[in-house]
Amino acid sequence: MKKYILFGAGNFGRMALEYYGEDNVECLVDNDKAKVGQMICGKKIISFDEYKDIADKYETVISSTYVVAMEKQLEENGISGYLYYSPSYENFIKNMKIHLEKNKVNGIVLYGVDGYTERLVSAIHTMGLKNKIKYIAVPDEDKKMIGKELCSYQICPFSDIQMSADCYIVSAVTNHAALYMQLRQRVKNGFLIDPFKQIGYYETNEIIFNPYVMQKEDNTEEKWNESVENDKNREAIRAYVEAAQKDIQLFEYMEIETINRCNGVCSFCPVNKLVDTRPEIKMSVELFENIIGQLEEIGYSGELSLFSNNEPLLDERIIEFHKYARKHLPKARMHLFTNGTLFTIEIFKELIQYLDELIIDNYRQDLQLIRPCRDIKEYIEKTDPELRKKVTIVLRKPKEILTSRGGDAPNRQQMISYGEEKCALPFQQMVVRPDGKVSLCCNDSLGKCTLGDLTKQTILDVWYGSQFQTVRKCLAEGRKNWKHCEFCDTFYIY
C-alpha cells in the first residue's frame, strides 16, 4: 500500500497525521513558506514544488478547509485521484447513528458541493439510507453547479427544495458555517448536521497537546501579524456574516463568568492578576439559577461555559453550579477552560462528571507539567483511560504573543487596523459577567462594552434587543464601525 502525503500542515494536517498513523504518512506539504522545513511528530513539511516531484509515488490527502483552492492547484499540476480528510467526519457518523437509533429518517437533503460531498454520500449509502437522499442542493447564486450531476443526483438550487425532508446535512467544507446558518434560517422542522463543525477544541485522544511543535522559535509581533494577514478564515467569516445578518438566530455559545478573577500572570492577558483593573465581583446564586432557568425554558442545546475571562476554580461553588446546569440543561454541551493550578484529584473527579470537555492550560515557559496536571495525567492513564476523550492538557507559555484582544492585551504594541473585516461573534455568542451585565464578546475582557443587563432584562430581550442589533449592523459593515473592534485580530467561527 502506498503511503500518504498530507496536503495542508495546519490543524487538519496534524489531526490527519494522528488519524492515518505516523507510520503510514511520508510527509506533509504546505504552501506556507514559514512552515516548510519544519517537523510535525517526526514528519517533514515540504514545499509544493518538492511535492510535485514525488506526488505519483504516494496517495495525496487534502487535509485543510481550503478545499476548492487546493483542488484547483492539484488539477493544474496534473495531479488527480486525491483523497480528503475531515476531522469531524467520524463525529458525523456517530451523530447520524445516534439519530437513527432515536428517530426514523424519512428524507435527507445535502446542502453544498465540494470535494467532500461524495464522501458524505458514500457514508449515507453505507448506513443503508441511499433511498432517503431526496436532493443535493446548493445556494441559488451558485449557478455554475446547478444542473450538474453528482453521484447520480442532479444538483438543484435550494429554493427548488420541497421542505419534506427531516434531515438536512451540510455537505461542503467550503464556507460550511455559512451553509449551516442558512439551514438554521430556512429549516424550522428538521434535524440539522454540520459534519465539518469541530466539536471539541482539540480533537485528539492524546492527553497532552503541544501547540508549539511546528514553531522553531517564539512568535514576535511581526510574525503574529503576518499570520493574521494570511489567515484565510477571514473569507469564511465574511460569508458567514453575510448569511447570518439576514435572519438573526439564537446564540450557540454562552459564557457565564461567576467570578471575575484569575490567579495567573500571563503576559498576553488583560486580566492577569498583576494588571486586572476590575472590581472583584461574584455572581449571586439567585442570578445564576435565573439564567439557567431561562435557558431551560427555551430548550437551550448549544455550548455552555461557566467561565469567561477568569479562573473558574477560584469560585468554590463551581462544582455545584455545573451540577445544577447539567441537571436543567441536559442537551447543552458543557466545557471548561482552567489553568489547573487549583485542581486536586478529588475536585477533578467530581467536576469531570458534569463536563463534555475539560481543557487544562498548563502554563509554564519550559512546557513542563505542573503538579496537578501530572496527577491528572497519571490518574487518567492508570484509572480511567476513557477520560482521554474528555480531557486535554495543553502546554502553554505564559509569555507569548497572542491576539490583541481588541487592543487590550498588555504585551502588544503594534496595533493594526482590521477596519474592513467583519466579525462573527455578535451573531453567535453571549457573554455574561458576574453582575449580570452582558459583554460585547469574549475578547471584551474588561467589560468595556455592555449590551444588556440580565438583572433587569431577559436573555431573549438582550439578544434581540437594540444594542446587540446595532453592534451586528456595525460589524457586518466592518470593524472600524465599532471602536473596541477595529484593532481586534481575532478571526474565528465556532
Side-chain angles (χ1 to χ4, degrees):
M1 185 185 78
K2 287 184 178 181
K3 283 190 173 184
Y4 301 101
I5 288 182
L6 307 179
F7 187 13
N11 286 337
F12 268 34
R14 181 172 180 151
M15 294 175 193
L17 182 57
E18 183 177 328
Y19 176 80
Y20 287 106
E22 295 174 22
D23 292 341
N24 299 316
V25 173
E26 177 65 20
C27 62
L28 296 90
V29 57
D30 204 279
N31 290 315
D32 185 349
K33 294 179 181 178
K35 294 178 182 177
V36 173
Q38 297 187 38
M39 307 289 285
I40 301 180
C41 300
K43 302 298 175 181
K44 188 177 181 180
I45 303 173
I46 64 174
S47 68
F48 192 82
D49 285 338
E50 293 175 281
Y51 157 74
K52 286 190 297 183
D53 294 335
I54 60 172
D56 60 337
K57 299 176 183 177
Y58 302 94
E59 292 276 9
T60 297
V61 181
I62 293 179
S63 52
S64 170
T65 57
Y66 308 120
V67 179
V68 175
M70 288 180 161
E71 287 177 330
K72 183 179 179 183
Q73 186 176 0
L74 290 170
E75 297 290 347
E76 286 177 347
N77 285 275
I79 301 167
S80 59
Y82 37 83
L83 306 172
Y84 302 86
Y85 167 77
S86 167
S88 301
Y89 181 73
E90 296 304 321
N91 284 324
F92 162 66
I93 301 295
K94 181 174 69 175
N95 287 340
M96 276 299 294
K97 287 181 177 177
I98 292 172
H99 183 68
L100 289 171
E101 289 172 1
K102 296 180 179 179
N103 306 280
K104 183 179 179 181
V105 173
N106 296 313
I108 296 172
V109 169
L110 300 177
Y111 187 44
V113 172
D114 68 8
Y116 285 93
T117 311
E118 287 189 46
R119 190 178 183 200
L120 288 175
V121 172
S122 176
I124 293 167
H125 286 187
T126 301
M127 289 182 225
L129 299 174
K130 178 178 180 179
N131 296 329
K132 300 296 184 180
I133 299 178
K134 293 194 170 186
Y135 302 98
I136 296 180
V138 293
D140 290 10
E141 58 270 21
D142 193 0
K143 299 187 184 303
K144 65 180 181 180
M145 295 302 301
I146 294 172
K148 291 186 177 181
E149 192 174 274
L150 180 66
C151 301
S152 300
Y153 300 94
Q154 189 175 54
I155 299 171
C156 67
F158 194 82
S159 59
D160 282 2
I161 290 177
Q162 300 173 15
M163 293 295 182
S164 56
D166 52 14
C167 184
Y168 297 80
I169 303 171
V170 174
S171 49
V173 71
T174 308
N175 292 332
H176 63 95
L179 295 174
Y180 184 67
M181 175 56 74
Q182 290 168 357
L183 287 178
R184 289 187 70 201
Q185 292 168 339
R186 299 175 188 181
V187 178
K188 301 309 176 185
N189 295 299
F191 180 59
L192 309 183
I193 304 179
D194 178 359
F196 309 104
K197 179 180 179 180
Q198 189 167 320
I199 305 300
Y201 275 80
Y202 299 95
E203 292 191 339
T204 175
N205 285 326
E206 297 297 325
I207 303 173
I208 308 297
F209 182 85
N210 181 359
Y212 307 102
V213 291
M214 288 195 300
Q215 284 187 217
K216 294 179 181 177
E217 54 191 25
D218 290 347
N219 260 333
T220 62
E221 281 202 76
E222 289 77 9
K223 288 181 179 179
W224 177 270
N225 292 335
E226 183 180 346
S227 70
V228 173
E229 188 63 33
N230 294 325
D231 188 351
K232 295 193 182 333
N233 209 35
R234 291 155 69 174
E235 301 169 13
I237 288 173
R238 293 179 205 129
Y240 175 86
V241 172
E242 185 176 339
Q245 65 182 330
K246 293 177 181 177
D247 182 11
I248 304 302
Q249 300 295 298
L250 184 68
F251 52 85
E252 294 184 87
Y253 302 87
M254 179 171 240
E255 294 183 3
I256 303 174
E257 187 177 74
T258 67
I259 184 172
N260 64 347
R261 276 295 175 273
C262 185
N263 59 352
V265 292
C266 303
S267 65
F268 50 79
C269 183
V271 296
N272 79 64
K273 70 178 185 179
L274 302 178
V275 299
D276 196 349
T277 58
R278 303 173 297 177
E280 183 173 347
I281 303 174
K282 289 177 73 173
M283 180 174 285
S284 71
V285 174
E286 293 75 18
L287 176 57
F288 178 80
E289 291 182 353
N290 180 269
I291 293 170
I292 298 301
Q294 290 186 58
L295 293 174
E296 184 178 21
E297 286 180 10
I298 61 178
Y300 184 68
S301 60
E303 195 131 330
L304 179 66
S305 309
L306 302 190
F307 74 94
S308 187
N309 289 283
N310 67 322
E311 169 46 53
L313 295 183
L314 284 171
D315 190 336
E316 71 280 358
R317 309 163 300 172
I318 199 67
I319 293 174
E320 285 303 312
F321 279 168
H322 276 90
K323 182 178 180 180
Y324 186 88
R326 175 54 75 202
K327 177 181 177 181
H328 291 272
L329 300 171
K331 294 182 179 179
R333 177 177 170 80
M334 293 177 60
H335 82 275
L336 190 72
F337 272 71
T338 169
N339 61 32
T341 55
L342 301 177
F343 259 132
T344 63
I345 289 299
E346 289 70 29
I347 292 174
F348 169 76
K349 287 164 63 177
E350 193 169 358
L351 182 59
I352 194 62
Q353 63 186 307
Y354 305 115
L355 294 172
D356 293 290
E357 182 179 31
L358 173 64
I359 306 297
I360 307 174
D361 283 325
N362 182 98
Y363 286 108
R364 274 191 52 158
Q365 202 66 21
D366 62 5
L367 303 183
Q368 298 300 304
L369 291 180
I370 62 174
R371 179 60 183 269
C373 288
R374 290 201 305 271
D375 291 344
I376 289 170
K377 177 177 180 290
E378 183 177 343
Y379 173 81
I380 293 172
E381 290 175 337
K382 292 184 177 180
T383 309
D384 197 347
E386 279 296 303
L387 287 179
R388 288 173 177 270
K389 299 175 182 178
K390 273 189 171 188
V391 180
T392 308
I393 298 171
V394 185
L395 304 181
R396 296 289 307 275
K397 297 178 180 181
K399 297 178 182 178
E400 65 175 325
I401 296 296
L402 294 174
T403 173
S404 68
R405 306 296 289 273
D408 292 336
N411 69 346
R412 293 292 301 274
Q413 303 298 322
Q414 303 170 13
M415 293 296 109
I416 295 176
S417 172
Y418 297 95
E420 302 303 320
E421 297 294 341
K422 305 177 188 297
C423 182
L425 293 182
F427 300 92
Q428 297 182 318
Q429 181 191 74
M430 179 178 279
V431 177
V432 187
R433 306 199 293 271
D435 58 0
K437 301 287 197 311
V438 176
S439 294
L440 174 64
C441 69
C442 56
N443 283 312
D444 184 14
S445 311
L446 298 168
K448 290 182 176 180
C449 301
T450 297
L451 305 184
D453 185 346
L454 296 187
T455 65
K456 301 174 182 177
Q457 301 166 275
T458 68
I459 288 172
L460 295 183
D461 284 344
V462 172
W463 182 249
Y464 294 107
S466 60
Q467 289 168 287
F468 248 115
Q469 295 287 41
T470 298
V471 168
R472 292 184 190 114
K473 185 176 185 298
C474 288
L475 293 181
E477 295 173 357
R479 300 186 182 204
K480 65 185 177 185
N481 296 301
W482 196 263
K483 184 179 179 181
H484 198 199
C485 301
E486 180 176 357
F487 301 101
C488 182
D489 54 6
T490 299
F491 293 98
Y492 57 75
I493 310 178
Y494 293 152

